[in-house]
Amino acid sequence: MALKVAALAGGVGGAKLADGLSRSLPTGHLTVIVNTADDFEHLGLSISPDLDTVTYTLAGLASPETGWGRRDETWNFLQALEQLGGPVWFCLGDRDLALHVERTRRLALGEPLSQITADLAGRLGVDQVILPMTDDRVRTIVDTEAGELPFQEYFVLHHFEPAVCGFRFEGSERARPAPGVLEAVQAADCVVFCPSNPWVSLDPILSLPAIAEAVRAKPVIGVSPIVGGRALRGPAAKMFSEFGIEPSALSAAAHFRDYLKVFVIDHEDANLSSDIGKLGMEVFVAEAVMITPDDRTRLAQEVLVLASELVAAERAA
Ligand code: FO1
């Protein structure tokens, strides 16, 4: 009997493992719970970058160059906007734009984000469940040496250059998990933390107290987003350094030590196994860098073998 898995994911790195899990599990056995604290309003549109990255990736439509946005994209809208003097720091492709326009239209009619996401993902050919962490408004505010910045301004406009002093997930105390989130975690045999940024992709999801509590009750397997002291993508390693923590798979494991039963690290970090084990979790060494689609499936299948073993051990205990 195939396992049921709830995976927590942010953007590009997390979406890759979620894609591998999606290909390796029967339909209906995977729920991907996605960070929405990166969401923002831009040009009058409601933009949900991580939800869209996961949706496009699972639909096989993601841009292979960037990991976000759509493959075979054209940029007529952005070029026309630039000519008119509009803001072009956030790149919206023509096809991608349709998704933001349609989501914005339906949100304005009062439809919840979770329902819109499920419908649009289905229309794009995704056969697993993708859920926003919440239908309520949560926003990551990055406290930097240059002052507070909304997440996308920090990340895209300022190329995550300003040194970070802290984060706030505005609205998370009052936000309710989206319909289906707690049910998916409770029904799961195992929760997987995809290799997403711990600080700004997974922490916002876990900042909803009800989600954190549900996840704590489950066996959790994490995959390191840090390999050889470098982030697989984005500013995760830089953030660890700016908080005075050595960026490493060990630090990533320590960040989630309250949750993790098993942590998957790359061969390059095998020398950290014993120190990670001392944090009270099992360590598994794998090829954790996903370059090709086959890499995603291979890593996902290794995670699922670990999950089966973990579930069997918990049942036997
Ligand atoms: N990331 C960038 O670095 N530059 C962009 O112009 C950009 C546009 C963009 C458009 C749609 C979308 O869904 C994602 C987009 N991203 C872009 C990615 C995204 O902002 C970040 O990678 C995530 O928020 C971090 O997980």
Side-chain angles (χ1 to χ4, degrees):
M1 211 1 219
L3 295 174
K4 285 202 158 184
V5 173
L8 271 47
V12 178
K16 287 184 180 178
L17 185 63
D19 184 40
L21 291 169
S22 171
R23 291 160 191 257
S24 307
L25 286 164
T27 301
H29 283 239
L30 173 68
T31 302
V32 191
I33 299 164
V34 181
N35 173 38
T36 55
D38 291 9
D39 292 12
F40 75 131
E41 291 69 40
H42 182 60
L43 301 170
L45 300 171
S46 295
I47 300 187
S48 297
D50 287 359
L51 271 180
D52 294 349
T53 297
V54 171
T55 301
Y56 288 148
T57 304
L58 267 59
L61 295 173
S63 161
E65 289 85 31
T66 57
W68 49 263
R70 285 184 70 147
R71 62 165 69 240
D72 305 322
E73 190 55 285
T74 55
W75 301 94
N76 296 304
F77 163 76
L78 205 70
Q79 283 158 10
L81 182 66
E82 185 166 35
Q83 193 177 19
L84 297 172
V88 292
W89 58 270
F90 195 80
C91 298
L92 295 176
D94 300 334
R95 288 180 174 80
D96 186 34
L97 186 60
L99 174 53
H100 309 304
V101 169
E102 178 58 7
R103 175 171 39 230
T104 305
R105 183 186 74 81
R106 289 169 69 163
L107 284 170
L109 292 174
E111 210 179 318
L113 181 62
S114 51
Q115 198 173 301
I116 301 168
T117 302
D119 181 56
L120 298 180
R123 286 170 187 272
L124 292 175
V126 175
D127 62 1
Q128 302 284 6
V129 178
I130 300 174
L131 289 174
M133 64 190 202
T134 179
D135 283 334
D136 299 328
R137 183 190 166 92
V138 178
R139 294 291 182 266
T140 296
I141 307 293
V142 188
D143 187 14
T144 77
E145 60 185 7
E148 285 200 331
L149 292 169
F151 180 77
Q152 294 299 339
E153 288 185 29
Y154 159 77
F155 193 93
V156 179
L157 184 59
H158 296 285
H159 311 288
F160 44 85
E161 275 160 10
V164 163
C165 323
F167 306 101
R168 280 190 297 123
F169 307 123
E170 209 174 69
S172 69
E173 333 70 47
R174 290 177 309 282
R176 294 150 302 174
V181 167
L182 295 183
E183 293 81 352
V185 173
Q186 283 155 3
D189 296 296
C190 170
V191 174
V192 174
F193 285 7
C194 292
S196 295
N197 187 310
W199 303 99
V200 291
S201 292
L202 299 187
D203 279 357
I205 305 177
L206 296 166
S207 75
L208 271 67
I211 299 184
E213 192 187 328
V215 170
R216 270 184 225 282
K218 289 287 164 177
V220 179
I221 300 182
V223 176
S224 183
I226 307 275
V227 171
R230 300 173 304 278
L232 290 174
R233 278 189 74 92
K238 183 172 177 283
M239 288 171 174
F240 274 107
S241 298
E242 287 162 0
F243 288 125
I245 305 166
E246 190 191 345
S248 68
L250 172 61
S251 302
H255 189 91
F256 290 124
R257 65 188 301 173
D258 291 348
Y259 293 95
L260 294 172
K261 278 271 176 355
V262 180
F263 199 53
V264 179
I265 60 172
D266 190 76
H267 291 287
E268 200 178 327
D269 296 318
N271 61 319
L272 299 173
S273 298
S274 140
D275 284 342
I276 295 174
K278 286 182 195 147
L279 295 171
M281 60 189 79
E282 300 291 324
V283 185
F284 184 80
V285 178
E287 180 58 66
V289 183
M290 293 171 280
I291 312 280
T292 67
D294 283 351
D295 293 340
R296 303 174 188 180
T297 316
R298 181 198 27 76
L299 183 59
Q301 286 174 355
E302 285 178 325
V303 167
L304 292 173
V305 170
L306 292 170
S308 301
E309 290 169 1
L310 188 55
V311 169
E314 298 233 330
R315 284 188 186 140

